[in-house]
């Protein structure tokens, strides 16, 4: 098997599944499907295999550090991980004055801390591998005061992180104090990761989806959906493939010189 591997979280369904399919089909990648729902994960693995690529399902609650450590270890055993797409996310909406601390914590823990755990675990492995490559190319002086061998970023193999935020991080959204805070946090954290990791040739970027047709939005009342769609200049809900197209760009050679940015894929919503 070609060993290029992408980890995609929340890939059992919705946007994550659309991303996994596109990366497998159009960037020839093997996929680690990460989710909490085993049934949907098994279906996603079959979809990827039916297009001729390899896939494994790893059950992992991204908000649990131990789950993430074990998932990342399995992914690196599966092949050479080149890309992580942090897509898993939830909503627990209510107005500020009614929002429980439990719902606030749950959303922040999955949507934001989960990305922190995964980026820390994956970048830790990428940076260790990069340091070994540098030492092999220019052996470091031995001894306790020996400094790390420093190379230009382009010396290292390109690695990429794509984090899924939301358009509501931009302007806020009624009933989503927890969700909007988590999604704005994703953007700021991604910029920091981009700055810290650039020296190892690791790019980190974000996508802000608008209003996308998935099981997450299917549960909204039709009247509310119609109201949102009326505000979208392109006059339709987005599809998972619309988001997957932007992920593909940020996962390909075409974006080698792009890091720390956020792409809006929202049909013009909230311009
Ligand atoms: P979705 O249909 O609800 O799918 C999310 C997937 O993530 C589900 O399979 C879910 O599993 C999984 N998941 C939930 N909690 C998890 C956890 N702790 N660890 C691992 N996996 C977990 O959502 P979506 O609409 O595709 O959204 C995907 C991402 O895009 C989210 O980050 C969301 O915030 C963002 N987004 C969506 C929209 C939109 O309009 N749909 C707009 C902007 C941003 P379960 O089903 O078992 O919970």
């Amino acid at each position: 098997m070609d060993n290029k591997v992408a980890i995609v979280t929340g890939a059992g369904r919705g946007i994550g599944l659309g991303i996994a399919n596109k990366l497998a089909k159009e960037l020839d990648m093997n996929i680690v499907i990460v989710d909490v729902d085993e049934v949907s994960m098994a279906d996603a693995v079959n979809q990827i295999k039916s297009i001729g690529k390899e896939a494994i399902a790893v059950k992992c609650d991204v908000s649990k550090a131990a789950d993430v450590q074990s998932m990342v270890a399995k992914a690196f055993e599966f092949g050479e991980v080149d890309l992580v797409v942090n897509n898993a996310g939830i909503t627990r909406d209510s107005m500020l004055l009614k929002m429980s601390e439990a719902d606030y914590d749950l959303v922040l823990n999955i949507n934001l801390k989960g990305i922190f755990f995964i980026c820390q675990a994956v970048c830790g492995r990428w940076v260790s591998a990069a340091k070994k490559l540098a030492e092999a190319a220019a052996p470091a002086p031995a001894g306790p005061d020996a400094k790390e061998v420093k190379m230009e970023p382009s010396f290292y193999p390109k690695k990429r992180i794509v984090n899924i935020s939301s358009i509501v991080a931009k302007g806020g959204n009624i009933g989503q104090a927890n969700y909007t805070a988590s999604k704005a946090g994703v953007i700021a954290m991604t910029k920091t990761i981009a700055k810290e990791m650039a020296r190892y040739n690791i790019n980190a970027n974000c996508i802000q989806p608008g209003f996308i047709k998935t099981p997450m939005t299917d549960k909204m009342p039709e009247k509310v959906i119609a109201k949102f769609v009326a505000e979208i200049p392109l006059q339709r809900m987005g599809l998972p493939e619309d988001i997957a197209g932007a992920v593909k760009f940020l996962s390909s050679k075409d974006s080698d010189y792009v890091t720390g940015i956020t792409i809006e894929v929202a049909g013009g919503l909230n311009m």
Side-chain angles (χ1 to χ4, degrees):
M1 114 182 158
D2 175 358
N3 268 339
K4 299 292 177 193
V5 166
I7 298 173
V8 184
T9 71
R13 67 180 202 200
I15 293 173
L17 180 59
I19 291 168
N21 269 306
K22 198 167 199 76
L23 294 174
K25 264 187 215 151
E26 297 181 22
L27 289 185
D28 209 27
M29 299 195 89
N30 301 307
I31 312 290
V32 179
I33 303 279
V34 177
D35 210 296
V36 283
D37 178 13
E38 282 173 303
V39 177
S40 68
M41 279 198 291
D43 185 47
V45 165
N46 286 337
Q47 286 191 33
I48 302 298
K49 287 187 171 171
S50 75
I51 53 179
K53 299 306 297 176
E54 293 297 323
I56 53 166
V58 184
K59 189 176 179 187
C60 163
D61 177 344
V62 298
S63 68
K64 304 266 186 318
D67 274 23
V68 168
Q69 289 296 340
S70 139
M71 177 276 286
V72 169
K74 284 179 188 151
F76 277 75
E77 275 164 29
F78 178 55
E80 190 186 327
V81 176
D82 274 355
L83 166 69
V84 182
V85 182
N86 285 301
N87 163 80
I90 62 159
T91 52
R92 289 293 182 276
D93 297 354
S94 60
M95 301 297 273
L96 174 67
L97 299 187
K98 292 188 174 159
M99 188 172 286
S100 68
E101 185 178 351
D103 277 351
Y104 180 86
D105 286 344
L106 186 67
V107 169
L108 269 288
N109 285 343
I110 292 174
N111 295 8
L112 186 57
K113 204 193 220 179
I115 295 184
F116 165 72
F117 284 148
I118 292 180
C119 288
Q120 196 177 49
V122 171
C123 287
R125 284 170 182 263
W126 283 341
V127 168
S128 307
K131 284 181 178 170
K132 280 190 191 135
L133 275 180
E135 278 161 26
D145 299 329
K147 294 235 167 72
E148 181 187 337
V149 179
K150 284 192 182 145
M151 298 293 196
E152 298 289 317
S154 61
F155 169 81
Y156 303 108
K158 176 62 79 186
K159 303 288 178 186
R160 303 167 203 275
I161 295 166
V162 180
N163 292 331
I164 306 299
S165 172
S166 169
I167 198 75
V168 296
K170 214 172 148 188
N173 200 24
I174 288 172
Q176 293 196 312
N178 49 3
Y179 184 78
T180 50
S182 72
K183 293 299 187 180
V186 168
I187 294 173
M189 187 162 67
T190 306
K191 287 176 191 285
T192 298
I193 292 169
K195 286 187 174 171
E196 289 187 15
M197 291 296 136
R199 57 182 286 209
Y200 297 108
N201 209 15
I202 300 168
N203 291 13
N205 292 293
C206 266
I207 290 173
Q208 283 183 296
F211 193 39
I212 312 300
K213 186 163 174 37
T214 70
M216 182 186 266
T217 46
D218 283 347
K219 58 190 177 197
M220 293 168 71
E222 263 180 44
K223 255 170 100 174
V224 179
I225 292 182
K227 191 174 157 281
F228 273 114
V229 172
E231 287 168 20
I232 300 172
L234 287 177
Q235 294 180 27
R236 67 165 174 92
M237 286 181 84
L239 299 171
E241 302 82 79
D242 292 313
I243 306 306
V247 174
K248 180 188 166 190
F249 167 66
L250 292 176
S251 306
S252 73
K253 260 197 92 41
D254 288 344
S255 64
D256 273 4
Y257 198 57
V258 177
T259 195
I261 66 141
T262 301
I263 300 179
E264 289 179 27
V265 185
L269 182 68
N270 235 338
M271 275 187 285

